[in-house]
Amino acid sequence: MTLPSSLTPGSLASALPILTILNSPSRSAMYRHLSQQAGVPTIEAQGALHALTQLERTPVAAIICDAEMEDMTGEDFREVVAAESHSQDVPVYVLPPLPGSGQPQPDAEQQLTAPQLLSRVLTDLGLSPARFPVPLQPDVAPHLHGDLSQFSLPEFLNWVAEMRFSGHWLVTVSSRQGAAHPLTGHLAMQGGHLVYAECNGQTGKAALFTLLRAIEVYHDAIFRFYRSDVPAEVRARDLQTTTPRLLIELAVELDHYAAGHAPPRHGASPRSPK
């Protein structure tokens, strides 16, 4: 397909979709939601081979993929895309691998969550930050913000749950010794229910466990909460219970882990073929 010569890099970002290849359905839904709020459509592929077929007939502005897909790794996929004449100029953003996968963390995208990664993608595509929705805009004043030295994150989450607020949380754990980047968690609530979590390559309950564990260990965390509607389709499969019940379950698991037992085996398992 030949693109109109009048398209500039900035208008390309508006005219062409972002292609996502993600194992987690909730992460796919969140990326789709945030991208569309910025005015950029998305298309989704069920694995790397499906994505390569789509690229043959559909131009895209950028690609976001998991580090480990059903049919190849993210880095292998990046090399294949770069080798094809019709896709060699399409940037590929590889999310960090799951902990314990044995894969090295990509230097450029290490620890990035949905807001951070999509901000980078949309910026690289030439969009004005004024078009970014919350929580992609760091300069927008949050509805709530503060540090977690006096009150715990579960206390704030329970309070917002009681108020039945909807919106996005960004929680940053800063003082991880030897870490190249702060650890950032992205949470979302709909009507007071925690429906989405992403942290350190994980999603759902595993991401919440990782974030709460890091806060317990490093005791240096800040949070921002942006009130905003969150679509129902971003709800993770393992975040179906009420927020208070979910936090009680996680507290038990954290105590179990602190007692020297193996960490719980939550997980974002690869999406099963449809």
Side-chain angles (χ1 to χ4, degrees), residues 42-196:
T42 62
I43 57 175
E44 299 169 21
Q46 309 297 318
L49 295 180
H50 181 215
L52 293 173
T53 300
Q54 287 181 302
L55 286 172
E56 292 178 356
R57 58 176 182 265
T58 306
V60 300
I63 302 168
I64 301 173
C65 69
D66 278 312
E68 189 68 44
M69 295 173 281
E70 292 180 358
D71 30 25
M72 68 179 70
T73 68
E75 292 305 321
D76 289 341
F77 178 76
R78 194 202 301 264
E79 292 180 5
V80 173
V81 170
E84 298 290 339
S85 59
H86 61 271
S87 61
Q88 61 185 4
D89 295 327
V90 178
V92 178
Y93 299 80
V94 181
L95 285 159
L98 290 172
S101 66
Q103 289 195 47
Q105 293 277 1
D107 291 339
E109 295 92 27
Q110 187 175 19
Q111 308 292 4
L112 294 186
T113 59
Q116 296 167 310
L117 180 61
L118 284 173
S119 293
R120 172 174 291 178
V121 172
L122 297 176
T123 298
D124 290 350
L125 294 178
L127 265 71
S128 167
R131 292 179 55 181
F132 296 0
V134 295
L136 272 62
Q137 287 196 46
D139 296 331
V140 172
H143 184 74
L144 298 170
H145 66 93
D147 65 58
L148 298 172
S149 58
Q150 294 183 337
F151 299 95
S152 68
L153 179 60
E155 286 178 296
F156 281 109
L157 292 173
N158 273 319
W159 182 78
V160 172
E162 290 178 3
M163 301 295 292
R164 302 186 63 82
F165 286 165
S166 299
H168 298 269
W169 296 80
L170 293 179
V171 184
T172 302
V173 185
S174 299
S175 298
R176 298 187 305 133
Q177 293 182 358
H181 301 278
L183 181 69
T184 298
H186 174 213
L187 315 178
M189 298 181 95
Q190 178 61 35
H193 295 286
L194 264 171
V195 296
Y196 181 82

